[in-house]
Amino acid sequence: MDSTMQHTPLLISSLLRFGTTVFAEQKVITWTGEGARELTYAEVGQRAAQLAHALRKLGIDGDQRVGTFMWNNAEHLITYLAVPSMGAVLHALNIRLFPPQIVYVATHADDRIVIVDNTLAKPFSGLLAHLPGVQHVIVNGSIDDETRAALEAPEHVVAVHDWDALLEGEPTAYDWPEDLDENSASSMCYTSGTTGNPKGVAYSHRSNYLHAVTAALALGAKQGDRLLVVVPLFHANAWGFPYLAMAVGASLIMPDRFLQAAPLAAMIEREKVTFGAGVPTIWNDLLSYLETNPADLSTCRGLVVGGAAAPPAMMKAFQEEHGITIIHAWGMTEMSPIGTVAIPPTTVEPGSDEYWRYAAAQGRLVVGVEGRLVGPDDSIAPWDGESVGELEVRGPWITRSYYANGRESDVDRMEMESKFHDGWLRTGDVGTLSEDAFLVLTDRAKDVIKSGGEWISSVDLENAIMAHPDVREASVVGVPDDRWGERPLASVVLRAGSPTTVEDVREWLAGRLPKWMLPERWAVIDEVPKTSVGKFDKKVLRKRYAEGELEVQTLA
């Protein structure tokens, strides 16, 4: 029997039209350091049209890639909406990658135009000599003569444009194409390249649309919310926030380059933020700041954490001291990215041990995402909360392959292919699934510490150490051991002025963990090294240890 339903393609332009008309009064608010500047969604729609007209005149007439090298601000949101809506492909460049990696991804994606914030224009100019495919650079904001000269150096052969001047006089309406294939690419992100070269994921209009609607449902975003988007728009599809805001009619608070605890506290208080999104290091810094700098955060009901696991101690402190619920969400760039959200079942008593077990998990699989646990022999482990395996996932917003242009090395090609198994994405995460679909990750497959006949979860050990009140951060890696093959090395950041020593921390742990899990090797460091997206960079700690750069204490 044939369906009687209409078929309209799921396009970014549909979200753009809906959000900027139905919720025309909602706003995007960009922090300036001295206050904020505002645009209504109606104005966002008009400027998106102007940008599309301008890009057409610069030669964007198909699915060419338009890159961004920007902070979170109104102009970045406008680009997020306009570029895919006109049929081109948005490529948000990760500004925190090493320069060779930025050059690699911009070249691999074949970026033709790059929109750059003025505060990033000088460092970007140093990359242009290595980006012969870039034909135009659009600068958002004023730049000095020295920066302009660096961008316009003769060897670059690029045209440099001012954002405001480029858009001025362009029509404020655009006939967004409705005949685009919903399965065609709308945007792309690259992984952070922790192994090999960064790998590109090309999201479709359909996948972004479905992900945005599901993410809004799973996170509880709603009309009138004021969402503080600290997660960079260049990281993992911005967790879907630019698009879900259009779908539900929530205003967006954009921090631009002001990502320190003091301005974030001011944003929450002044802009009456109701919900936020960012990596745990951001919220941990905010929590520490609030200890000596009180702020009114009473409007904020929750902060979602992704990119890395949030320490349970931090989660409890926010809830008990500030009435803010920290919500775990887990996913990957390859998953658009949300796959699970940790909202405890309503049958669980808030504040109980069972409640915190659910809240500290990675979360329940969201509708649309299927998961399975695969053992080392390819057997499928049951959902019983105990059986461990590598998580594999599939669903309508999960990639089935990485973007390839035919110029990849054999090593990169083999690594890209190894990530897929019978139509499922291999996540590289090891953990369990409960009967009610709650995921608990015990480690990355490459980070599990194999000590004698036991496996030690570096994540569990880190969380246990960071529960100590005088430990700000802790990272655990496995290091060679003559007797056990591998043992944990704990690198900790102690609170400033604290008399606590690593001996004190280990003694404190002794009453909470089995003896065989307790690290013998400890190092006190100023800061845990982090990747470009805020995750603990364990490969740096392993290298420092191997090269004798860490001052390690061995405790009996």
Side-chain angles (χ1 to χ4, degrees), residues 461-482:
L461 196 45
E462 287 164 355
N463 285 335
I465 296 171
M466 284 189 284
H468 189 288
D470 286 337
V471 175
R472 285 202 60 213
E473 292 182 328
S475 184
V476 175
V477 299
V479 297
D481 184 88
D482 291 338

Side-chain angles (χ1 to χ4, degrees), residues 65-97:
R65 265 64 79 198
V66 176
T68 59
F69 200 74
M70 306 175 76
W71 302 104
N72 287 13
N73 50 41
E75 290 74 21
H76 208 165
L77 173 66
I78 290 164
T79 308
Y80 240 83
L81 295 166
V83 170
S85 293
M86 65 185 292
V89 179
L90 172 79
H91 177 206
L93 288 158
N94 185 339
I95 65 176
R96 295 185 181 133
L97 290 178

Side-chain angles (χ1 to χ4, degrees), residues 187-359:
S187 58
M188 63 192 310
C189 285
Y190 279 71
T191 64
S192 52
T194 53
T195 59
N197 284 316
K199 294 177 282 293
V201 179
Y203 307 112
S204 68
H205 286 263
R206 180 176 184 270
S207 70
N208 266 332
Y209 191 112
L210 292 173
H211 176 270
V213 173
T214 304
L217 174 68
L219 295 173
K222 60 184 187 297
Q223 179 182 344
D225 261 337
R226 298 173 68 80
L227 307 176
L228 175 59
V229 185
V230 184
V231 53
L233 268 65
F234 56 73
H235 171 49
N237 205 25
W239 301 0
F241 274 83
Y243 300 140
L244 74 82
M246 295 291 114
V248 302
S251 289
L252 294 171
I253 316 300
M254 298 295 203
D256 200 79
R257 66 188 186 279
F258 303 99
L259 303 175
Q260 302 76 25
L264 291 177
M267 287 177 224
I268 296 174
E269 182 172 29
R270 171 180 155 158
E271 301 300 336
K272 302 189 184 306
V273 167
T274 60
F275 198 74
V279 295
T281 50
I282 288 285
W283 303 134
N284 202 27
D285 287 346
L286 176 62
L287 183 65
S288 297
Y289 174 82
L290 293 171
E291 290 177 0
T292 52
N293 301 274
D296 181 5
L297 310 186
S298 58
T299 59
C300 188
R301 69 176 185 274
L303 300 170
V304 66
V305 166
M314 182 188 84
M315 300 173 71
K316 291 180 180 180
F318 263 111
Q319 191 150 314
E320 293 168 1
E321 297 170 17
H322 302 285
I324 295 174
T325 300
I326 298 292
I327 300 174
H328 255 154
W330 169 87
M332 303 171 64
T333 299
E334 294 89 336
M335 298 172 64
S336 297
I338 292 177
T340 67
V341 175
I343 297 177
T346 55
T347 54
V348 173
E349 180 68 26
S352 65
D353 289 345
E354 187 179 10
Y355 172 91
W356 286 113
R357 278 196 298 273
Y358 275 110

Side-chain angles (χ1 to χ4, degrees), residues 178-193:
E178 297 182 358
D179 58 350
L180 294 176
D181 182 353
E182 65 177 15
N183 292 305
S184 63
S186 64
S187 58
M188 63 192 310
C189 285
Y190 279 71
T191 64
S192 52

